[in-house]
Amino acid sequence: MIRVTSTFSHSIVSAKNDLADAEVSVSLIEEVSRQTKILGAIDLGVGNPLGLPPKELRQTVLGASDKLHDYGDIRGISELRSAIAKMIQTRYLVNIDFERQIVITNGATEGLTASVLALLPQNSEVIIFEPFYSPYLDVVRLCGLIPRFVSLSPANGWQFSERELKEAFNSRTAAIILNMPHNPTGRVFNCSEMRFITDLCLQHDVICISDEVYDEIFYTSARPLSVIETPLWSNLAIKIGSFSKIYAIAGWRIGYVAGSPHLIAKILSAHEVLTGGAANPMQAAATAACTLPERYYRLSRQNYRRKRDLLYGEMSKLGFSGQLPQAGLFLTLRPPLSKAEDNEPIFQAMKVLREAKVGVIPLGAFYSQKDSETAGWWRICFARPTNQLKEAVKLMSKWIQAGEAIKTHISPTKN
Ligand code: PMP
């Protein structure tokens, strides 16, 4: 039995597991992933790149488990911090002092939490583009801050309105959370959009927390811009990075935060009390990841692009519509359904899961309240083996042909 404890807000779901008889409170993404496993369905929900990580990483982690048993440097092992600084230098031509400007975290998730906790005073406002990666709202609320939303419009290629963004900045604004490339839409802001955001941050002395976990997964000719390349970098910005996505090691939980020394010093103390440090063997593997040749990234991007195009093409044939993403691992599509949008996201997800045997994330999970334009849309992850994508398309096609998709929606109380 699934019970939604919030309204349309941040989609935290309270689920009573009938077997374990235990109450758990988790995000919608987590719950869909859990139910997908229980039902033996195909999971196109969670942004977990499935497949084996590179051999070099698996070998390093095995070797490292023979040593590296002690507490390490709370900032992270120096080899990894130094390797990240070198990657940043190569990619963005910016020098970083790895001793003072980088902390290794337990994934980007902890990097984000530690940063919000350490840098932003309670009761101040944080600007978030909507739709948003759902943990942003949870962490902002958990830390006693007030979210202020600026919408990205699907009708307008997921652009923001300059007027709306300008109006969101005020004397209580402490930060803006940027997510580039963007989850769920795959949007990459262009130079003039970045300049507009940068100017507002400088004008209002606002910190830019830039979540760039998909920075290596892009389908545009040029690499997406990073906050590192803006004038905010000297003292008003942090970049949050992750090893989860491009190296397919989401469960190894390694990420990092980079920024100016005074911001990193504060984040480090939050990181220390939250975690006591990141796992050393996994950090050793992440260091090995940094030495992979450029070819690895090129081939990964080609591979993801093929999967994106395959799934987009097949879903279009089934009547789904939406834009091809510029980056990242997700399609955001409007399904050929009727009425589903009346339902809460969790009931939409459970309906598709039970009837079509495919796990997807309703886009409503990425909004603070019901959005009339996109209610009923889905986020679908294409970072899956090709045979799984094809199987999911078959199941979806059967479901749609059987007319299940257009049946009157199930009442939440019956789920
Ligand atoms: N930010 C975004 C935008 C994400 O999509 C994700 C993963 N879904 C994360 C952060 C979390 O990354 P990590 O696994 O490094 O904690």
Side-chain angles (χ1 to χ4, degrees):
M1 181 186 117
I2 308 272
R3 197 156 41 78
V4 178
T5 52
S6 67
T7 54
F8 243 89
S9 62
H10 60 149
S11 307
I12 287 280
V13 171
S14 177
K16 188 167 163 64
N17 179 337
D18 291 335
L19 294 176
D21 199 28
E23 285 281 346
V24 287
S25 213
V26 293
S27 70
L28 187 146
I29 297 175
E30 189 64 33
E31 183 55 21
V32 169
S33 169
R34 199 175 73 93
Q35 294 288 338
T36 303
K37 285 193 191 91
I38 293 172
L39 296 173
I42 295 184
D43 184 354
L44 302 189
V46 69
N48 202 1
L50 294 186
L52 271 185
K55 185 170 82 249
E56 297 87 331
L57 275 62
R58 287 179 280 134
Q59 283 169 348
T60 308
V61 90
L62 285 178
S65 65
D66 283 340
K67 25 193 196 290
L68 299 178
H69 304 299
D70 300 339
Y71 287 125
D73 187 326
I74 193 70
R75 295 170 299 174
I77 62 175
S78 63
E79 293 85 349
L80 179 54
R81 285 181 287 119
S82 160
I84 293 171
K86 210 159 143 198
M87 277 212 304
I88 288 176
Q89 217 295 321
T90 312
R91 305 267 196 268
Y92 306 111
L93 307 177
V94 169
N95 289 324
I96 293 227
D97 174 359
F98 74 87
E99 297 290 15
R100 297 160 67 229
Q101 290 191 262
I102 295 179
V103 184
I104 307 302
T105 56
N106 287 266
T109 305
E110 189 252 315
L112 176 76
T113 309
S115 304
V116 171
L117 200 58
L119 301 181
L120 312 180
Q122 283 199 348
N123 296 317
S124 55
E125 290 187 9
V126 179
I127 297 173
I128 300 174
F129 289 102
E130 188 169 45
F132 49 82
Y133 175 55
S134 46
Y136 296 161
L137 183 52
D138 301 330
V139 76
V140 159
R141 287 196 171 139
L142 204 62
C143 293
L145 298 148
I146 300 150
R148 179 96 190 217
F149 302 102
V150 172
S151 46
L152 298 174
S153 156
N156 205 7
W158 298 111
Q159 291 181 56
F160 58 85
S161 135
E162 291 191 350
R163 189 181 49 80
E164 198 187 335
L165 183 59
K166 204 169 168 184
E167 282 172 9
F169 278 80
N170 64 63
S171 58
R172 286 184 301 163
T173 312
I176 180 167
I177 300 182
L178 263 195
N179 177 206
M180 274 247 295
H182 184 254
N183 175 5
T185 68
R187 181 79 219 286
V188 172
F189 289 155
N190 60 32
C191 284
S192 85
E193 289 169 308
M194 281 298 270
R195 199 169 307 120
F196 193 79
I197 296 167
T198 302
D199 286 348
L200 284 169
C201 288
L202 288 172
Q203 204 180 313
H204 294 267
D205 201 25
V206 158
I207 293 175
C208 178
I209 296 178
S210 188
D211 175 348
E212 302 180 6
V213 303
Y214 299 101
D215 56 358
E216 292 297 337
I217 307 177
F218 56 90
Y219 315 109
T220 45
S221 53
R223 167 179 298 286
L225 286 168
S226 166
V227 77
I228 294 184
E229 299 167 281
T230 72
L232 299 174
W233 185 241
S234 55
N235 68 346
L236 273 181
I238 58 167
K239 171 185 166 91
I240 298 187
S242 175
F243 285 79
S244 294
K245 308 295 179 181
I246 188 74
Y247 308 111
I249 52 170
W252 297 16
R253 310 306 304 127
I254 298 294
Y256 66 92
V257 182
S260 55
H262 74 288
L263 298 179
I264 291 299
K266 290 184 186 167
I267 294 167
L268 184 61
S269 31
H271 166 69
E272 183 166 11
V273 294
L274 284 171
T275 68
N280 291 332
M282 302 312 179
Q283 292 191 60
T287 312
C290 296
T291 64
L292 290 170
E294 202 45 46
R295 186 167 174 274
Y296 171 79
Y297 301 93
R298 212 178 46 246
L299 291 180
S300 299
R301 286 194 279 269
Q302 277 172 12
N303 188 25
Y304 284 134
R305 178 194 283 267
R306 267 198 300 272
K307 289 174 192 293
R308 175 197 71 161
D309 293 350
L310 170 84
L311 194 61
Y312 183 81
E314 293 300 319
M315 298 303 268
S316 303
K317 285 185 210 156
L318 297 182
F320 286 72
S321 55
Q323 294 153 29
L324 206 53
Q326 296 169 295
L329 302 175
F330 308 105
L331 302 178
T332 47
L333 298 178
R334 174 195 209 116
L337 309 177
S338 72
K339 299 227 171 163
E341 60 271 24
D342 294 344
N343 254 333
E344 292 267 3
I346 186 62
F347 297 112
Q348 293 178 31
M350 288 311 297
K351 178 174 166 62
V352 183
L353 195 48
R354 292 210 176 109
E355 297 178 4
K357 296 284 180 285
V358 180
V360 300
I361 309 296
L363 215 57
F366 305 91
Y367 283 85
S368 57
Q369 52 191 314
K370 188 169 173 176
D371 177 70
S372 54
E373 238 179 311
T374 58
W377 290 36
W378 300 350
R379 188 195 80 171
I380 309 175
C381 181
F382 53 80
R384 297 292 184 270
T386 305
N387 60 339
Q388 260 187 36
L389 294 178
K390 288 184 175 162
E391 183 57 27
V393 170
K394 268 195 215 152
L395 291 169
M396 207 55 90
S397 165
K398 237 162 76 188
W399 183 56
I400 287 171
Q401 276 168 23
E404 294 293 348
I406 52 168
K407 264 192 191 163
T408 308
H409 65 275
I410 298 171
S411 142
T413 49
K414 289 187 190 150
N415 266 272

